[in-house]
Amino acid sequence: MRPGDGLAYDPARDAWRRLPAPPRSLPASAGPALWTGRELLVVDAEGGRPLPGGGIGGAAYDPVADRWRPLAPSPRLGGGQLLGRTVVWAGTRLLVWSFWTRPGGPAPTSADPDGVALWAYDPPADRWTALAAPSGPVRSSLARASLAWAGREVLAVQNTTQIPPDPPRFGGRYDPDSDRWTPIAAPPQRVPYGVGSALVWTGAALVANGAAAYDPAADRWWRLPAPGGWSRVGGGPMVRPVGTGRMAMLVPEPG
């Protein structure tokens, strides 16, 4: 998102309008954008403008009032070197996982994190809360996982890097109300590369990269049939699953 480039579309009027420029504190490369049901939250998860102490900047846009507001200052990492972040909108709050390594440690591109900080942001109160960090095994797996909100909890699936993946991949569920991680059945091994790279929630199941689906109620995975005419690997188009609340649609990626 770049200041002044935002647009809003009104389906009833079939018309576009330009959004006001966001606060200058929000960098042009900030993202992702997350809808809360009332506001559009844009946070600098990519680290386009690092804040002192590893904090995260952001802003919220109210389409009814047609104005932006900066988010309250976030917690800090406390001395660690930021490696990356994962953000998820979890029904009533924004969850931010910040992965860090100790200064002078291995190169960030190849290091497993020494720690992870978990913060929750409450938009109506404009307040951040620091939550308990995940345990060591979960921490390492989360650094290479994709996350999706499933209505009551966050589901996490570790991204694959090999065909077939080895060792078995991590899968877990996080309840933000109890602040607790629970393991789930391991994602299937005999699925195409990248099973955890794109997750969407259909309302009843989690679809992973259009290749496999997970039912939280039954704690069970199953392979999905290949889309007609498309190959997920070996020259076929890259696709991005999009959830509609009832189904998952596969949208070809550009390029």
Side-chain angles (χ1 to χ4, degrees):
M1 170 174 288
R2 296 185 178 278
D5 286 351
L7 296 171
Y9 174 71
D10 184 343
R13 298 173 55 200
D14 190 23
W16 292 88
R17 64 180 175 86
R18 187 170 296 279
L19 303 186
R24 292 186 178 182
S25 59
L26 190 68
S29 60
L34 304 157
W35 179 244
T36 71
R38 181 177 178 181
E39 294 179 307
L40 183 72
L41 295 182
V42 182
V43 291
D44 186 19
E46 302 299 327
R49 187 175 298 169
L51 299 180
I56 185 171
Y61 172 71
D62 181 342
V64 176
D66 192 29
R67 66 168 177 256
W68 291 87
R69 64 175 178 86
L71 303 189
S74 74
R76 299 188 175 192
L77 293 181
Q81 178 185 358
L82 181 66
L83 295 178
R85 286 193 168 103
T86 300
V87 299
V88 173
W89 175 250
T92 60
R93 73 208 90 178
L94 176 72
L95 298 178
V96 178
W97 284 266
S98 298
F99 304 97
W100 55 268
T101 187
R102 296 182 181 89
T109 55
S110 61
D112 285 331
D114 290 319
V116 56
L118 174 57
W119 307 330
Y121 175 72
D122 179 354
D126 190 27
R127 182 177 63 236
W128 291 89
T129 303
L131 303 178
S135 64
V138 174
R139 177 188 69 212
S140 298
S141 298
L142 280 177
R144 298 179 296 276
S146 295
L147 290 79
W149 177 244
R152 298 179 58 184
E153 58 195 356
V154 175
L155 297 178
V157 180
Q158 187 174 345
N159 296 331
T160 65
T161 56
Q162 304 175 53
I163 308 173
D166 181 31
R169 293 185 299 280
F170 162 83
R173 59 208 304 170
Y174 173 70
D175 183 343
D177 291 329
S178 63
D179 193 17
R180 186 168 66 96
W181 281 96
T182 305
I184 66 174
Q189 293 293 308
R190 304 179 69 85
V191 294
Y193 169 81
V195 67
S197 59
L199 307 177
V200 295
W201 175 247
T202 69
L206 182 76
V207 174
N209 208 41
Y214 171 74
D215 179 357
D219 190 27
R220 181 178 67 91
W221 286 89
W222 69 94
R223 293 191 62 181
L224 299 180
W230 281 0
S231 172
R232 299 188 187 98
V233 292
M238 297 297 292
V239 297
R240 173 170 51 90
V242 178
T244 68
R246 297 180 60 188
M247 67 181 71
M249 299 187 297
L250 298 182
V251 180
E253 294 279 17

